[in-house]
Amino acid sequence: MTATVERNPRAVGKSRGKGTVGSPPRGARDSYALFLLPGALAFLAIVVLPFVMNTYLSFTDWQGVGSPEWSGLANYRELMDDSEFWASFRHSLFMVVAMAAIPTALGLVLAAALFDYVGKHFGSRTAAILRACFYLPQVLPIAVAGIVWSWILAPDNGSLNALLKAIGLGSWQQDWLGDPDLALYSVMGVMVWVQLGFPLVVFMAGLQRVDPQLYEAAELDGAGWWRRFWHITLPQIRPEIYVVLTWCSIAALKVFGAVYVLTKGGPGGATDVPSYFSFTTFFEKTQVGYGAAISTVLTVIILALSLIGLRLQERSDP
């Protein structure tokens, strides 16, 4: 007769002393906090302290010299009635479309095409090269990319107008960055080009964890590429979609470099965004308290968007 020993699951992992089998000693766990200390101090000095100081300045009337004078909510009340701020905020919503919505949609389709079609028919190396080409704008400094695009979109000798003229579409030539009706859309086009690579790389990484048997079974059932994309790809990489949308929306709300290099908020404020509006108010107009109020409101909006994105991602997890 063979004796069977029933083990208590709660007892598994316990050792004779304190802690569990395989877990580090208590002293070692406590020492891990020392490794977090430099990062915590840097976060405190670079993020928390400047934010607290900026928030304090937003309640003052200060021109950058002398002592700040406490003004309470005066800057925020002025901000609520400031048409320039609300115009810049509307422009940032256009940037969300250009840097989050469009790149996410295009990135999904391109990632699925590279992974499911190009990788199978032309090899994974070809797909990797194309992925790197799409990601290249993310590596370029935004100042360099902005200067190059300002040359391309120049009204007189820009490459785009020269190309239109060469192919017989000279009537389509425009002052792409100088026309108030076109400037914002031109900047949006540049930002789509800049931002597209990030969603593409994230989605291709997410597709690596999808069970290939799902695609094989769907293909055997006669499902075409689009049906496989809609019913398999999208549901399986839903967490990555939430991450990309949240990350890119935050980047769109705080976009600064591209506007500064391409248009400096012009012409006539047509491309002004809250971050650039805060910059000009703070440094050029020397209305430090009012500029701090603008940046504080923008920070609160970004924090709220981050929390919403995290909440949606938690709900999407199985």
Side-chain angles (χ1 to χ4, degrees):
M1 180 181 293
T2 304
T4 303
V5 179
E6 183 177 356
R7 303 181 64 182
N8 185 358
R10 297 183 179 179
V12 177
K14 291 186 177 180
S15 63
R16 294 179 181 178
K18 296 181 179 180
T20 58
V21 176
S23 65
R26 183 178 180 83
R29 292 199 304 269
D30 294 340
S31 66
Y32 292 163
L34 295 176
F35 293 95
L36 300 177
L37 186 59
L41 292 176
F43 180 78
L44 181 66
I46 298 174
V47 178
V48 176
L49 185 59
F51 176 70
V52 172
M53 295 177 61
N54 183 84
T55 304
Y56 164 73
L57 290 176
S58 69
F59 294 101
T60 65
D61 183 11
W62 191 39
Q63 282 71 45
V65 292
S67 299
E69 297 181 3
W70 184 263
S71 61
L73 297 175
N75 289 323
Y76 292 96
R77 285 194 294 266
E78 183 181 353
L79 188 63
M80 294 300 102
D81 297 328
D82 192 343
S83 59
E84 292 185 13
F85 169 75
W86 291 111
S88 69
F89 189 76
R90 286 193 298 270
H91 298 157
S92 69
L93 297 181
F94 280 89
M95 288 299 175
V96 170
V97 174
M99 297 180 64
I102 295 177
T104 299
L106 290 179
L108 277 169
V109 176
L110 288 174
L114 291 177
F115 184 83
D116 196 31
Y117 182 80
V118 176
K120 291 181 179 179
H121 293 81
F122 300 96
S124 59
R125 191 169 186 177
T126 302
I129 292 174
L130 292 175
R131 178 183 60 190
C133 292
F134 282 111
Y135 191 73
L136 181 61
Q138 284 279 312
V139 181
L140 293 175
I142 190 62
V144 175
I147 291 173
V148 172
W149 274 102
S150 65
W151 293 342
I152 295 174
L153 299 175
D156 298 327
N157 54 356
S159 301
L160 180 57
N161 282 340
L163 176 63
L164 292 175
K165 184 178 180 180
I167 62 177
L169 298 176
S171 59
W172 288 18
Q173 292 179 325
Q174 302 288 339
D175 187 359
W176 302 101
L177 297 176
D179 188 342
D181 296 328
L182 294 175
L184 181 60
Y185 298 105
S186 299
V187 176
M188 289 173 62
V190 173
M191 297 315 299
V192 170
W193 175 81
V194 170
Q195 198 71 15
L196 180 59
F198 173 72
L200 175 65
V201 170
V202 173
F203 293 147
M204 289 195 71
L207 288 171
Q208 298 290 334
R209 62 178 179 80
V210 180
D211 190 354
Q213 294 181 356
L214 295 175
Y215 291 107
E216 294 174 1
E219 194 170 358
L220 289 175
D221 289 340
W225 182 87
W226 178 253
R227 293 187 64 186
R228 296 197 303 270
F229 171 77
W230 187 260
H231 294 286
I232 297 177
T233 302
L234 287 182
Q236 291 294 317
I237 63 172
R238 188 178 301 170
E240 284 82 0
I241 295 175
Y242 283 123
V243 169
V244 167
L245 282 174
T246 303
W247 187 280
C248 292
S249 297
I250 292 172
L253 288 174
K254 63 186 184 67
V255 64
F256 174 82
V259 174
Y260 180 80
V261 175
L262 288 170
T263 62
K264 288 185 169 55
T271 59
D272 204 2
V273 291
S275 58
Y276 188 79
F277 184 46
S278 175
F279 169 79
T280 55
T281 303
F282 202 106
F283 292 102
E284 295 182 4
K285 299 178 182 178
T286 64
Q287 298 176 5
V288 177
Y290 192 55
I294 299 171
S295 59
T296 301
V297 170
L298 182 60
T299 302
V300 171
I301 293 174
I302 291 174
L303 288 175
L305 180 63
S306 302
L307 293 176
I308 293 173
L310 291 174
R311 185 63 177 172
L312 291 174
Q313 186 178 357
E314 290 177 358
R315 290 184 177 180
S316 68
D317 292 337

